[in-house]
């Protein structure tokens, strides 16, 4: 068949033609747009080739509209024309003045020949039959027919972004390389354009439910994209190595040129294979089980979505288990804002929404603040409370109105009095809520709802409070509160098991307490009951599982998959989970000023707010420390992850084989015992075994695309020199391994983003560590006084965000060295050197800190050669508006710094500060401070006063070794939010303030000096 012959209808793969239609339009539109920009900005570059360029432009524009050519051949011509446009850009007027007339003439001739070749190809392009070409256009809008839902999408985050963005970055880096052959460039651009043509479809998947085959398709596409990234990275690294060799002499130069030619040819072949895989996946796109807005009926485990009937109980609500939520809600209710506000309490059924609303409704501060209050439950039942009437009559009960029209009688109260209305289960009352007035007297409405959507008229006025699952500590407090007898000491050993069995769901916790109240209080009886309860609790989670199917975006589902890599009942550190998400490209930044870590943190908070992830442990300042999936969700989600091949492509191992090629993507210490790698990490001699296992796996090639190597808590693994071959590695976790030495080949790990060596015995890192230009997080061992070797001319990774555990001595270049790191968000330094040098180093460190506008956490120690606190002269930190955590050890030479901390501060620790004036008088003005720790010799005075109105958010107060403190006064109403008070070795303090003894929720721990 000749080129200009029309192919027979039965020889055309119309599925492939239809699939390529959008891709052709994307490529042609980009080329024409680029050409127009050049015509406007640099018209002189077209001198001598104007006619050829205009003719080709007309033909391509006509092809874009009529869609009459076979797409593959048309794109080939289009890429050739784009290469010519790029050459024309290089002929810009500014560059033409730098070359001679002869070279300019040769350039015109070369470009003219390319254009003539393109012109000769266009008439010979094979055309599509007319009828079929027209029908092909009908498929262009198929993706637009899906109704997209933006519910649960986090600021535009989508799986399309996380899958395609890494490939875009690598192709851009490839095109920036010098002397890239147009043929190689064309192959890479074709892969990228093909992926871009899938963008709309991928975004559409966020709002539809996929079957198991669809999830497999999604994971296969993710792995194909990763293979493209790996191929381009390998090519760029190989080219850089060959370029260095070319300077070693003529023979080396010839071999280098030949090597570059072979590398480009190899990359082109790999790009063809990847394109074919993407093309095949594109043709066989999955179909949605149900699109958004349709009724869904998930299989067996999902059950019904009807409301769980309320269980009558005689138990009073437990304030201790909901203390943080009550405090946060009351803070919102009692603000000075006079605008009408709606505060929805959102969460899954059984999570305690009504309990929380009840605690708030009857809280003394709320009763005092709102003269009029009303409670409306399911149906039309009202409970009204008029503070004036209650005070006059002394009655404690509320009046009850049952008429459905009485909602109208509330309106005058909302207009005339500051009022609080609680609507329990607002779904029945949408029409009634719409007629409430927008009073300007500080009135509030609290709604309890399982939904995340509000009526349009309330959405702009709302300030939602998502109710999370309870922590282990909160779960135990609720369990003991609901139990009908005092717990025998021998049963305390079941605390951890009971907390985990219930998954933090209050309804389950209360049900379990009621069930065990009727059992004999023995280990055997309770253990049997717990086992049975574990099987029976599945029926209480169907709505959360249904929510995942119905609303959760595909992007967020993949983040949930990652939890299943950890064993059951494993508490996952939040910082570890987020950095692993980043390492595996599961989260992507959206703007220039946003980091993947910020997106990861937001995603985790979102999953927590939806009741899909349980916070098992919080930090003292209230931030998330440990998380896990509740057991029923984990069992269900683990099966989904396996079906989707997220845990392993075409294999049952969780080491995650890469594209069915026996190449492993991750090796982590937290894998289950079922994993093939488990025994290699947990042998009787783990250090030696890990070393042998790594060496063999690297030599066999199955680790060459390893992204994550997480050996946290493995005792002294012997890392082989062959680790330098793991050039794809992004996360190297060695925390708590007590490792003594790193292999010298560590500098070859060019893609490492996180290097965690906290709690190791490594006290010095080589200069070559700075070759890791992608390094974002570097955790060193503070206890081993880890040092970094650094020269003033060292090219340091400026994207570094975390630098913790570093020792700064007289040899450490801070000025014109470390102070070039301006993107630091978490900084931990110990300054220690000879006394004549320490002052200068401290000044340099403080000047550097003041430049860190993104700084969130600062841990700064100043110690002398005897490891004792030394002078620490800080400057005002009020300009660091993102700083939320400060730990200072050292004698503060300028005590006025106490009043110059930023208002964003949440957690403050002072040790060895030597303050002689009461620091409380300055610190209690910090509006967001939640945790304050005054440790040994931080305050040397005898008296301390906490005034009324100070520390509005303070939850935790620790006083350690304040040996001079004799009298501590707390005014009535002060320290309202404090929950945890710890006093250790304050030998002169004999009496606790009387105000603290009356606080029912306060946990007090006193350790006397011996």
């Amino acid at each position: 068949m000749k080129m200009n012959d029309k192919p027979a209808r039965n020889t055309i793969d119309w599925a492939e033609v239809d699939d390529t239609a959008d891709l052709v339009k994307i490529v042609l539109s980009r080329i024409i747009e680029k050409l127009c920009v050049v015509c406007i900005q640099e018209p002189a570059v077209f001198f001598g080739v104007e006619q050829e360029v205009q003719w080709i432009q007309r033909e391509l524009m006509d092809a874009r509209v009529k869609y009459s050519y076979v797409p593959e051949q048309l794109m080939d011509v289009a890429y050739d024309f784009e290469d010519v446009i790029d050459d024309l850009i290089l002929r810009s007027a500014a560059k033409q003045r730098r070359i001679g007339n002869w070279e300019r003439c040769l350039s015109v001739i070369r470009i003219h020949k390319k254009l003539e070749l393109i012109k000769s190809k266009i008439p010979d392009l094979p055309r599509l039959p007319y009828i079929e070409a027209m029908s092909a256009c009908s498929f262009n809008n198929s993706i637009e027919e899906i109704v997209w839902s933006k519910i649960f999408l986090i600021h535009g985050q989508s799986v399309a972004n996380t899958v395609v963005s890494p490939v875009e970055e690598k192709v851009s880096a490839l095109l920036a390389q010098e002397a890239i052959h147009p043929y190689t460039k064309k192959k890479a651009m074709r892969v990228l354009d093909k992926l871009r043509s899938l963008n709309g479809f991928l975004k559409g998947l966020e709002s539809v439910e996929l079957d198991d085959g669809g999830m497999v398709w999604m994971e296969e596409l993710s792995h194909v994209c990763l293979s493209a990234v790996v191929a381009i990275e390998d090519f760029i690294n190989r080219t850089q190595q060959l370029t260095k060799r070319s300077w070693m002499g003529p023979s080396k130069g010839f071999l280098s040129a030949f090597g570059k030619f072979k590398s480009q040819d190899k990359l082109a072949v790999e790009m063809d294979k990847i394109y074919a895989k993407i093309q095949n996946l594109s043709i066989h796109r999955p179909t949605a089980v149900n699109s958004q807005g349709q009724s869904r009926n998930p299989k067996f485990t999902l059950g019904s979505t009807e409301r769980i009937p309320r269980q009558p109980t005689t138990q009073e609500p437990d304030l201790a288990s909901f203390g943080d939520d009550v405090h946060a809600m009351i803070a919102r209710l009692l603000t000075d804002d006079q605008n009408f506000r709606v505060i929805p309490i959102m969460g899954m059924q059984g999570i305690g929404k009504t309990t929380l609303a009840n605690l708030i409704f009857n809280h003394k501060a709320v009763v005092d603040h709102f003269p009029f209050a009303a409670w409306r439950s399911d149906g039309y039942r009202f409970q009204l409370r008029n503070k004036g009437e209650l005070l006059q009559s002394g009655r404690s009960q509320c009046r009850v109105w049952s008429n459905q029209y009485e909602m109208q009688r509330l309106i005058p109260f909302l207009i005339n009095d500051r009022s609080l209305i609680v609507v329990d289960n607002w779904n029945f009352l949408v029409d009634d809520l719409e007629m409430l007035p927008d009073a300007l007297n500080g009135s509030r409405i609290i709604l309890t709802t399982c939904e995340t959507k509000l009526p349009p008229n309330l959405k702009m006025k709302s300030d939602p409070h998502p109710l999370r699952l309870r922590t282990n500590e909160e779960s135990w407090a609720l369990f003991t509160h609901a139990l009908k007898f005092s717990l025998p000491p021998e049963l305390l050993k079941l605390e951890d098991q009971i907390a985990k069995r219930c998954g933090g769901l209050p309804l389950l916790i209360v049900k379990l307490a009621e069930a065990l109240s009727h059992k004999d209080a023995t280990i055997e009886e309770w253990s049997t009951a717990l086992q049975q309860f574990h099987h029976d609790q599945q029926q209480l989670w169907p709505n959360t599982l249904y929510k995942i199917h119905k609303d959760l975006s595909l992007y967020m589902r993949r983040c949930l998959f990652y939890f299943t890599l950890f064993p059951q009942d494993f508490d996952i550190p939040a910082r570890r989970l987020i950095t692993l998400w980043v390492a595996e490209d599961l989260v992507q930044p959206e703007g220039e000023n946003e980091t993947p870590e910020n997106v990861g943190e937001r995603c985790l908070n979102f999953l927590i707010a939806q009741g899909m992830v349980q916070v098992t442990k919080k930090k003292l300042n209230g931030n998330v420390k440990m998380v896990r999936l509740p057991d029923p969700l984990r069992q269900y989600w683990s099966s989904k992850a396996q079906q989707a091949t997220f845990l392993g492509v075409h294999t049952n191992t969780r080491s995650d084989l890469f594209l069915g090629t026996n190449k492993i993507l991750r090796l982590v210490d937290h894998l289950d015992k079922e994993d093939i790698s488990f025994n290699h990490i947990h042998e009787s001699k783990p250090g030696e075994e890990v070393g042998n296992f790594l060496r063999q796996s690297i030599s066999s090639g199955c680790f060459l695309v390893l992204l994550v190597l997480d050996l946290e808590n493995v005792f002294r693994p012997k890392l082989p020199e062959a680790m330098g071959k793991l050039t794809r590695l992004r996360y190297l976790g060695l925390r708590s391994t007590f490792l003594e030495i790193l292999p010298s080949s560590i500098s070859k790990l060019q893609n490492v983003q996180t290097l965690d060596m906290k709690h190791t015995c490594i006290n010095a890192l080589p200069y070559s560590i700075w070759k890791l230009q992608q390094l974002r997080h570097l955790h060193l061992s503070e206890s081993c006084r880890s040092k970094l070797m650094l020269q003033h001319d060292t090219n340091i990774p400026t994207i570094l965000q975390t630098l913790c555990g570093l020792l700064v001595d007289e040899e450490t270049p801070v000025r014109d060295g470390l102070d070039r790191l301006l993107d630091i968000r978490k900084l931990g330094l110990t300054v220690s050197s000879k006394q004549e040098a320490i002052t200068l180093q401290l000044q340099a460190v403080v000047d550097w800190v003041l430049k860190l506008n993104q700084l969130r956490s600062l841990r700064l120690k100043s110690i002398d050669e005897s490891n004792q606190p030394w002078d620490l002269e800080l400057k005002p930190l009020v300009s660091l508006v993102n700083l939320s955590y400060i730990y200072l050890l050292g004698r503060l030479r300028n005590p006025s710094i106490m009043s110059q901390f930023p208002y964003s501060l949440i957690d403050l620790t002072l040790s060895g500060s030597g303050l002689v004036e009461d620091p409380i008088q300055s610190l209690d003005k910090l509006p967001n401070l939640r945790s304050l720790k005054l440790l040994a010799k931080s305050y040397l005075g005898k008296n301390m006063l906490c005034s009324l109105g100070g520390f509005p958010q303070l939850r935790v107060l620790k006083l350690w070794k304040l040996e001079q403190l004799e009298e501590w006064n707390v005014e009535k109403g002060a320290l309202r939010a404090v929950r945890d008070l710890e006093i250790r070795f304050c030998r002169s303090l004999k009496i606790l303030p009387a105000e603290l003894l009356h606080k029912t929720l306060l946990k007090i721990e006193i350790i006397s000096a011996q």
Side-chain angles (χ1 to χ4, degrees), residues 910 915-924 932-935 938-947 951 954 957-960 962 964-971 975 981-983 986 989 991-993 996:
L910 301 176
L915 299 170
V916 294
E917 295 184 3
D918 183 4
I920 299 296
Q921 300 305 303
S922 298
L923 298 178
D924 68 354
L932 174 62
K933 294 179 279 292
L934 301 178
L935 306 185
S938 58
Y939 175 47
L940 305 180
K942 296 182 178 181
N943 300 294
M944 194 162 65
L945 172 65
C946 294
S947 304
F951 293 123
L954 192 68
L957 178 60
K958 294 183 181 292
L959 308 176
W960 288 10
L962 304 184
Q964 311 300 321
L965 183 61
E966 296 179 357
E967 185 176 356
W968 180 21
N969 294 309
V970 177
E971 293 183 355
L975 299 178
L981 172 64
E982 187 176 304
I983 301 175
C986 296
L989 184 63
I991 302 176
L992 275 180
L996 297 180

Side-chain angles (χ1 to χ4, degrees), residues 301-321:
T301 51
L302 298 184
S304 170
T305 60
E306 296 178 359
R307 286 180 58 83
I308 301 171
R310 297 189 184 278
Q311 302 293 327
T313 177
T314 58
Q315 293 285 342
E316 288 294 323
D318 178 34
L319 184 56
S321 302

